[in-house]
Amino acid sequence: MYSSEDLERFYFQYQTEAMPKGISIEQFCSRNKVPYNIFYKWYKDTRNKIVEVKVDGLPTSAQEEPKQECPSQEPSSTVTKPSGVRILVELRMTNGLHISQKNLSYQELKRLIEKLEGLC
């Protein structure tokens, strides 16, 4: 039996490998021996499980830091002022994509959101 995590990874693989080539999800399921009816039921059940999140204000350490614009740098290579607050972000999108980032600073969170906005 396929777990939700298995189907999530399968759908991500479809989006990154097959969708850009114009392959339908039915064809991709067939080629990878995943029953389409199981995938479709998972997709239908999970795509509406989205919770709206509203963030008010800035952490105190972020208000004091000067704004640094470095879009070409990855968050792991950026040196930021250590603060006591670290952020965990977990996103599940209506198309089944799941994004999880742990131990982010406020600046790294801003950078992640800017990158995600570019995808919209």
Side-chain angles (χ1 to χ4, degrees):
M1 196 65 175
Y2 296 96
S3 70
S4 182
E5 290 80 21
D6 293 336
L7 292 169
E8 193 174 302
R9 281 190 290 271
F10 176 74
Y11 189 58
F12 181 75
Q13 182 182 6
Y14 166 72
Q15 289 182 312
T16 57
E17 295 175 9
M19 187 185 280
K21 295 178 183 175
I23 299 171
S24 72
I25 188 65
E26 293 91 352
Q27 292 172 326
F28 191 69
C29 286
S30 176
R31 290 179 186 172
N32 290 282
K33 297 178 176 61
V34 173
Y36 177 71
N37 61 332
I38 292 173
F39 170 79
Y40 181 73
K41 182 179 180 339
W42 168 83
Y43 179 76
K44 192 172 83 172
D45 292 345
T46 59
R47 68 186 167 128
N48 292 324
K49 294 181 181 177
I50 295 180
V51 178
E52 184 177 335
V53 176
K54 183 178 178 185
V55 179
D56 292 328
L58 301 172
T60 55
S61 63
Q63 291 173 343
E64 298 166 4
E65 291 180 23
K67 188 173 181 179
Q68 297 175 358
E69 296 284 332
C70 297
S72 63
Q73 284 187 329
E74 290 299 314
S76 60
S77 64
T78 304
V79 177
T80 58
K81 187 186 293 185
S83 82
V85 177
R86 300 305 287 177
I87 303 167
L88 167 88
V89 175
E90 194 161 320
L91 300 172
R92 290 184 185 262
M93 298 182 195
T94 55
N95 62 7
L97 184 63
H98 179 221
I99 299 172
S100 179
Q101 290 286 312
K102 299 177 183 176
N103 203 24
L104 295 172
S105 68
Y106 178 75
Q107 293 297 325
E108 291 166 334
L109 176 63
K110 279 179 47 180
R111 218 170 283 116
L112 174 65
I113 292 171
E114 289 168 359
K115 289 179 181 179
L116 290 172
E117 285 177 338
L119 296 174
C120 296

